[in-house]
Amino acid sequence: MSAHRNRLFAALSISIAAAGLSAGAYAVDEEAARALARQNGCFKCHSVEKTLDGPAYKSVAAKYRGKADAEARLITHITTGEKAKFPDGHVEEHKIIKTKDMNEIKNLVSWILSL
Amino acid sequence: MNNPPKRLGHAWQVLRRPSAKYSLLSLLVIGFFSGIFFWGGFHTALEATNTLEFCTACHEMRDTVFQEYKQTIHYSNRTGVRAICSDCHVPKDWTHKMIRKARASLEVWGKITGAIDTKEKFEAKRMTLATHEWERMKASDSRECRNCHSYDGMSGEFQKQTVFVKHQKADAEGQTCIDCHKGIAHKLPREYRDSNE
């Protein structure tokens, strides 16, 4: 009887955790992410679908899918001006996003990774 | 005798009658200096409406676009060169400046009627207001941007390669600043969509 209760408790915990993760995925504010990208001119070099001077956001999402450090890598990429390689082979500093609000930055990164 | 139209007619006749008391030279000298005085006064008043203080005297601008502009490079930067409201929104040359100022009288009507007197009303109208300004800039080939910026003055040594190439391409294709640089001093309207999205 006690083992049955434990199994029930474990199942319930997993369900709650899954619901939490799912809620996390829904927590991405796409409109806010797009607005931040527009304001910072990200779409001058990136598109959701097409490769421009920078890779399509869908390619970025595919590249980092399943990688534990995906969020941290992208945050570093858009906040530190690290070197980025362009299609013609030249290398230059990536633009630094003009906000210090980490919640806004994380929302943008989460949106890109969700594509 | 006290009839206003009659008095007006009398005054008009006095104005039209040649002077028998003052010499032509006196009239010319007085007229010349009065003209300078009037013209100077007119321009001083006009320039007073071009200052940052004037533009941000009303809360409609001070609480919205001014706060956004203060976060941008046109307000604060490495060299201390600042572009204020009128540098971007009012033409420098006399003819276009007068046309812009005459049109701005509609903004006074907007102020009186409270068209954007709350943040909510301002946000509701932001796309309309921004579109008017983008259209004005496009029609003038971004004349006010070009008071400071020019394709010729851009150096590939100081600009990032990608940016420099984009500018050269834009120049060759006859594009103008505002085609790409929207929302650089203010928030973009929420309805705005980038063509590359």
Side-chain angles (χ1 to χ4, degrees), chain A residues 34 38-39 43 53 92, chain B residues 160 162 166 183 188 196-197:
Chain A
R34 282 180 179 271
R38 268 180 224 125
Q39 196 68 52
F43 294 119
D53 282 333
E92 73 181 42
Chain B
K160 283 182 182 173
T162 320
K166 277 187 201 296
L188 282 165
N196 279 340
E197 278 186 52

Side-chain angles (χ1 to χ4, degrees), chain A residues 31 34 38-39 43-49 52-53 86 88 90 92-95, chain B residues 160-163 166 180-181 183-184 186-190 192-197:
Chain A
E31 197 42 55
R34 282 180 179 271
R38 268 180 224 125
Q39 196 68 52
F43 294 119
K44 301 268 188 292
C45 292
H46 296 280
S47 156
V48 172
E49 304 275 351
L52 304 172
D53 282 333
F86 285 77
D88 63 1
H90 90 275
E92 73 181 42
E93 287 174 4
H94 190 274
K95 183 175 173 173
Chain B
K160 283 182 182 173
Q161 187 177 327
T162 320
V163 177
K166 277 187 201 296
C180 296
H181 297 280
I184 51 159
H186 309 296
K187 256 170 58 182
L188 282 165
R190 62 173 176 271
Y192 175 77
R193 296 291 177 271
D194 202 296
S195 58
N196 279 340
E197 278 186 52

